[in-house]
Structure formats: C-alpha cells, structure tokens
Amino acid sequence: MGYDLAFRLYPYAPVAAQGMAAQRHPVVIVGGGPIGMATALDLGRKGTPVLVLDDHEGVGQGSRAICFAKRTLEIADRLGTGGAMVDKGVVWNVGKVFHGDNKLFEFNLQPEDGHKNPAFINLQQPYFEKFLVEEIRRAQAEGAPIEIRGKHAVTDVVAEDDFARLTVVTPDGPYQIEADWLIACDGARSPVRTAMGLSFDGRVFEDNFLIADVKMTADFPTERWFWFEPPFKNAGQSALLHKQPDDIWRIDFQLGWDIDREAELDPVRICERVDAMLGQGVDYELEWTSIYTFQCRRMEAFRHGRVLFAGDSAHQVSPFGARGANSGIQDADNLAWKLDLVVKGLAPEALLDSYSSERAHGADENILNSTRATDFLTPKSEISKVFRNAVLELARDHAFARPLVNSGRLSLPCVYDGLPLNGPDAFEGPARTRVGAPCVDAPLDQGFLLDRLPGAFTLLTINADMPAPDAVDGVALNRLALSTDAHDPSGALRERYLGAAQSAVYLIRPDQHVAARWKAADAGAVGAAMRTALGKEPPA
Amino acid sequence: MTLILTPNIPDPDGFYDELLALHDGLSKEESDALNARLILVLGNHIGDRDVLRQAFEAAKPPPEDG
C-alpha cells in the first residue's frame, strides 16, 4: 500500500546483491516501522548483523500512535532514543471524563516519585520512528552491523526448515535473499503472514472512529478529555481531545457502524464536527484525518520455525489504552536478546519459543483490556447500555463506580507470571518486582536503577555480598552491587526490592525482567537460574 | 453501619465483564427479571435494613440539572 512520507530517511539505492545469486543473511527484518527499527537497533548494538527491508523510503505521514507509556520510554532509554522522545513529547497526567455536559470525575496518572520517566507522553509516531533511525545511524557509525534498504519490498516468502527465502522487488527489478532468521514487523496486514498462509483470528468490532488531528494555538490544558455521549452536535457516541507536540490536538469521534466513509471524510463535514466541539472563534487547521475500524486478534504462535512475528503482524488491538505500539516495543525488547544469543550459538533455538509464549501472554492481556474498553464504549446490547449508563450516572457522585468507567485502561507492562523462563522466587519480596515482572525504576545516589541494567544479564545484589561468575555458559553476567546505606537515599530501592527483607539477590534478564530472586544465593543457584532463563533447563 | 461508596471490588473490570456475561442471550424481559432476582439475593446478603435504605438513596435517579 502506498503512502506519503513524513521523513525520507532511507532513499532507494540499488545494491550489488540485486545482480547476484541469493545472499544469506543471519537476520532479516521485514518492515521499518517502530518495531522493526527498534529490533534492528537492539540486535545491531549487540553485534548481530541485521538487514531491514522496507517497502518505502522513510516514515509515513500521519500521527497514528500518539501515546507512549513509561515502559516504552524505559526500553527506548536503553536503546538510546528515550531522551529525545521525552524532550519532544508532551507529558500529561490529568484525565477528565464527561458524560454529556457533566464532568463525572478526573484522574491523575502522576506516578509515584522516583522514576526517571513519566507515566505517559504524547508524541506523533513519525517522530519516534525518526529518532530510532537517527540512533541506528549513530550505531552504524560506531560499527553496528545494521543495513537499511528503502523501497526494497518483500513480495514473497518461502519458509524452509532452517532458513527463509525472500523475493524482494525494487525499482530495478526483483532479487532473492535468504535469511537464517526472518522477523516480520510488517504490520496488521502482514504480507509475510499472508505469504505463509498463517491465520490471524479474532473479533471484529462494528464501529468507525474518525480521527481529526488539528493544529491550533488554543489554551486548552494539557489533559486527556473524554466524553461519553458528547453534548456537541454530531459528535457520535464518544469523543476524545488530547494534546500532541507542535500545537497539534488529537480529536477522535466515535461514529458508529453504518456510515458513508467518503462523506464523513469530507473536510467540510469534519470541520462542522470540530467547530461544534471547540466552540466559536477557535482557529485551527486540519493536519491529518482518518477513519478507522478495528479488530482484536492474534496469531496462535509468534514463532514459525525460522520466522518470527512482532508487533501488529502478530497481534492487533483496539486503540483504547494505547496498547498497540507500546506492546510491539515490548515484543522487540523480548525478542532481540534471545535471537542475539541464538544467532551467536549461546542459547538453544528453544529460547525463541519463550518469545512466543511470553508475548502471546502479553497480547492476551492487551486484547482482554482493549476488548473490555470497547464493550464499555460501544455497549453490545440494550442491557449493556443500561448498565453502562448506570455506571456513568453513579460515577458522578460516588467514587465506587469510577473504577468501572472504562475509556481505555492505559498500557502497563506485562508480567510473565508462571512462564518457563522463570527461576525461583525465593522470598516474600514486594509483589511488583516478583519473578517475571519488569524491574521497577528507583533513584540511586547517582542516576536511576534502570540505567544500570543495560541490555545484558545482571546480578543485582542489595546488602548482600556473594561471589558470582562473570559469565554462565559463555553468556556474560554483569554485576551490580548496591547497599541501602550507600545507594538508596530516598528509600525507594528498599521499598521496591526488599520489602521487609534485609537483603536480596536479583537475577535480571537483558530485557530488565526479573528472572529469579533470593534473600541470599550462591553461584550454583545463580547459574541454574540463568540456564533456565536461557531456555536450557527447567526450573529447579 | 455505613453503606460503602468507595471502590470495594477487586478487579472491577473482571466483575463488570462477569455481570454483563450473565445477560448474554437474554431478552429484555429476562434481563429485567434477572436483575430483580440479583437485587433480592444481594439485599438478603447485606441484611442490614439501614444499609439497604442508604443503598436505595444512592441508586435513586440523580436530580435534574437546572
């Protein structure tokens, strides 16, 4: 599908391979969106050669995903783009919920103190993609083996037992490529998935949403405003107003199922709606408009032999809750270290099955949450609507009903509870840092904890001294020895990692998820847990 | 005893989901009857007439806005 570019970042250039027999690459990524680029950056920084094939020459226009959650910013920080995102993005904390003319309540997402990153920022997707490509250029300059080929469109894939064969079409004609490993980051309509004849099942929601991104210098506050049954003319069943950088505001109208798409996209008609919402005398320009419908669905498995699926190609959710791009980035975070170790022969291929099971677990959670939000926004029966409106009426006066109001549960990182890479959870520590959870940030005497967990296995000891190996089976194990006396001026490290215990040992995966924890451990226990986290042996 | 009007149900989304699932496939009449039975069952569980009276108040239609 063709689209206009926001940033032309990787213009087409012919490569020598176009005139040669199929060249074999260790890793090929199809699709240069945020998930593909993040995965390429992570792999390349670790030294694994990676080739990105994109069917365009840069980043497509349109704000698209605009809401990036703290976990995404933490992962982006590890990749080197977090600072640029937070600098450019709009930080917001306050949300207000209206029912018709009435304000029902407001909420504040302000996280507790002691996190480097805010709970959410709003940022147009093209900026995120641009920052990733800029970071890839820096990594390339430092020798990271990453190659991006623009306007090299993958049109066919044949999956063999131990590699994939790709047909790539360019302005100079087609050529063949072979990939030891292929990662399909090619979006919800994934041509790779289609070429392989794999199914993508789920639920279709019968609704249309109109996005109108407008540019204006109005002094609305930097808050998320959401209306059920909006009071302004022709606004549909719900509406949203949300600020982005560059004086752009996201306006969203829920139009229902039976609409005339062409007519609704007429700028005159869109402006009538926007005028009714913003009131008289507000100057604005339409920046980007789109009508979308959506589905909640996922592939049964995200690994098919040597082909891996990440982001929207593997799972698709409704936009309520900002769980699309945010979950895709967690896919990239989960996949890159595993594939890197497999390519280097340091972990068995079976480790990649855990990518599928962990991220399918995440996708199910996201689908459940976004399905529930959608059912609340679009009650599926008369009685659902009766209950929905009862909740809204009660929420105005009674706090108990407010947690039931669902205009999207904002994305939180997934905890890999009960999954095969988990080692022992050997003390009654805080629940939020249990085995399977992503590490919670904490301020240290200098900087933040997550900045000290840079994409490799780390053994974090708190008030515990122990001899530990530098590596297990050839996989490096970093050491981070902290004490609450010296490194925890705020007490957050104790609260988040020790609870009532006096000491703790945490084995932390390269994606900053907790692999195992103990009050005290010896090298044998650490080695066994690390082999479990590498997919080599079942937990003791 | 005072009627609890602050959040008191763990996993509110899960609760709401289960509540609505009870109504799947029912006619309007059947749904109304289900709701009536449900109120009577819950009322019996609460038992305290004073608390129930407070609940009746809380559930009354909100006053019209002027």
Side-chain angles (χ1 to χ4, degrees), chain A residues 9 34 94 155 167 214 224 237 257 436 447 470-471 501-502 528:
Chain A
L9 300 176
V94 173
T155 56
T167 303
V214 305
R224 178 187 194 262
Q237 297 169 59
W257 185 235
D470 294 337
Q502 289 310 309

Side-chain angles (χ1 to χ4, degrees), chain A residues 102 372 376 382-383 387-388 391 394 396 398-400 403-404 406 409, chain B residues 5-7 12-17 19-20 23 28 31 35 58 65:
Chain A
N102 295 316
R372 285 174 174 174
F376 196 85
E382 203 184 329
I383 193 71
F387 271 101
R388 201 280 300 267
V391 166
L394 288 165
R396 189 175 153 193
H398 302 301
F400 87 90
L404 296 170
N406 193 344
R409 299 285 178 237
Chain B
L5 285 168
T6 50
D13 288 343
F15 157 72
Y16 192 75
D17 219 10
L19 175 64
L20 290 187
H23 292 271
K28 170 80 173 84
S31 275
N35 284 334
D65 288 310

Side-chain angles (χ1 to χ4, degrees), chain A residues 5-302:
Chain A
L5 296 185
F7 305 111
R8 188 163 180 257
L9 300 176
Y10 32 88
Y12 171 72
V15 292
Q18 284 167 248
M20 298 156 67
Q23 303 287 299
R24 179 74 69 98
H25 294 260
V27 179
V28 173
I29 293 174
V30 181
I35 315 310
M37 290 303 185
T39 309
L41 180 56
D42 208 357
L43 280 167
R45 276 263 164 77
K46 292 174 193 297
T48 287
V50 53
L51 169 64
V52 180
L53 301 173
D54 192 70
D55 56 358
H56 285 72
E57 296 183 306
V59 176
Q61 262 181 1
S63 328
R64 293 165 290 148
I66 59 160
C67 228
F68 294 96
K70 182 153 76 74
R71 183 62 197 148
T72 296
L73 298 173
E74 289 167 354
I75 294 166
D77 246 342
R78 187 173 66 68
L79 296 174
T81 63
M85 292 174 75
V86 174
D87 286 349
K88 181 70 193 173
V90 171
V91 176
W92 63 277
N93 293 304
V94 173
K96 288 183 179 154
V97 178
F98 302 84
H99 184 202
D101 278 319
N102 295 316
K103 187 178 119 183
L104 298 180
F105 62 93
E106 62 181 77
F107 59 86
N108 193 329
L109 293 172
Q110 181 77 50
E112 57 186 354
D113 284 343
H115 293 259
K116 180 176 172 184
N117 282 295
F120 272 92
I121 63 164
N122 282 0
L123 179 73
Q124 294 90 327
Q125 182 176 330
Y127 282 117
F128 182 28
E129 300 185 50
K130 180 167 172 270
F131 295 151
L132 283 166
V133 174
E134 287 168 355
E135 193 61 28
I136 285 176
R137 298 304 183 206
R138 274 189 282 278
Q140 287 170 324
E142 293 159 8
I146 307 170
E147 184 186 353
I148 303 172
R149 294 183 190 167
K151 229 171 168 75
H152 285 239
V154 174
T155 56
D156 195 29
V157 173
V158 178
E160 305 287 354
D161 282 348
D162 56 356
F163 72 100
R165 190 175 301 138
L166 289 73
T167 303
V168 184
V169 169
T170 74
D172 293 316
Y175 69 107
Q176 303 277 312
I177 280 185
E178 291 175 1
D180 286 337
W181 295 95
L182 177 66
I183 311 175
C185 305
D186 52 349
R189 294 186 188 88
S190 177
V192 173
R193 193 185 62 226
T194 305
M196 291 175 66
L198 298 168
S199 61
F200 195 41
D201 297 323
R203 188 173 149 197
V204 180
F205 290 86
E206 298 196 340
D207 215 329
N208 287 283
F209 287 78
L210 169 68
I211 294 177
D213 277 1
V214 305
K215 189 176 179 80
M216 61 177 177
T217 46
D219 52 357
F220 293 106
T222 305
E223 300 172 347
R224 178 187 194 262
W225 289 7
F226 191 92
W227 287 263
F228 291 97
E229 302 183 330
F232 15 93
K233 192 168 167 253
N234 284 332
Q237 297 169 59
S238 70
L240 174 77
L241 179 68
H242 216 177
K243 191 178 186 184
Q244 304 170 45
D246 305 335
D247 296 320
I248 307 288
W249 296 76
R250 164 68 52 92
I251 302 176
D252 216 335
F253 298 105
Q254 184 186 352
L255 300 185
W257 185 235
D258 289 313
I259 62 160
D260 178 345
R261 281 178 72 95
E262 289 302 309
E264 297 298 353
L265 278 170
D266 179 349
V268 174
R269 176 129 180 97
I270 291 175
C271 286
E272 281 171 11
R273 282 206 162 88
V274 175
D275 289 345
M277 181 182 200
L278 298 177
Q280 293 299 310
V282 177
D283 281 331
Y284 66 87
E285 291 165 42
L286 291 181
E287 177 82 8
W288 180 64
T289 60
S290 174
I291 286 184
Y292 63 94
T293 59
F294 53 81
Q295 316 195 5
C296 284
R297 52 186 181 170
R298 76 161 169 92
M299 297 179 72
E300 212 171 292
F302 301 170

Side-chain angles (χ1 to χ4, degrees), chain A residues 4 18 164 207 240 284 333 340 355 415 499 510:
Chain A
D4 294 331
Q18 284 167 248
D207 215 329
L240 174 77
Y284 66 87
D333 190 40
D340 172 66
Y355 161 71
V415 178

